[in-house]
Amino acid sequence: LPRHRGASAINWTLIHGDKKAGFSIFWADDGLDTGPILLQRECDVGPNETLDSLYNRFLYPEGIKAMAEAVQLIADGKAPSIPQPEEGATYEPMLKKKESVQIN
C-alpha cells in the first residue's frame, strides 16, 4: 500500500507489470485499505511470474512470518502506526475469475 488498494492487488501488480510486489499489515480505519501501516514486505516480480507463483513463493510464506511479527510488536507495545502517503495511491477494482483468465 498505497498502490493497488482493493481486493485484487496481486492481479493488478501483474497486469501493470510492476517490478516489485508486496504486502502491508495495517491498522483498520474507515477507508478502503487506507489505515496506517504497521509493517510491509516486498519482493521482485520475475518475468514469468503468475498469481500462483507470486503467492506461493513469497506472499503466503512471508505473510505468515509478518503476521507473527505484527502480533508480537502489538503485544510488546512497539507496533508502529505509519500514515500512508497519498502519492502513488491507486484503487483497483476486484477482478473475477472470468476477467482474470482473459488478461494477456
Side-chain angles (χ1 to χ4, degrees):
L1 294 173
R3 187 163 166 80
H4 304 309
R5 290 174 176 163
S8 298
I10 305 169
N11 306 65
W12 288 108
T13 295
L14 298 173
I15 291 167
H16 285 285
D18 294 351
K19 301 297 182 198
K20 297 275 185 189
F23 61 86
S24 301
I25 296 176
F26 61 96
W27 300 97
D29 67 4
D30 291 334
L32 176 63
D33 294 346
T34 58
I37 294 171
L38 195 156
L39 63 81
Q40 293 181 306
R41 297 289 182 267
E42 71 174 22
C43 70
D44 292 330
V45 176
N48 298 313
E49 202 82 66
T50 65
L51 189 146
D52 285 341
S53 68
L54 183 56
Y55 179 81
N56 290 312
R57 174 179 66 80
F58 177 77
L59 297 170
Y60 178 74
E62 292 303 316
I64 291 172
K65 293 176 194 174
M67 188 58 70
E69 182 181 345
V71 168
Q72 191 62 56
L73 286 167
I74 292 167
D76 293 343
K78 297 179 181 178
S81 181
I82 304 163
Q84 289 189 43
E86 284 304 312
E87 182 178 330
T90 60
Y91 283 98
E92 312 291 0
M94 183 169 69
L95 294 175
K96 300 198 173 28
K97 187 173 184 175
K98 179 180 175 184
E99 295 164 325
S100 294
V101 171
Q102 296 174 354
I103 296 170
N104 292 332

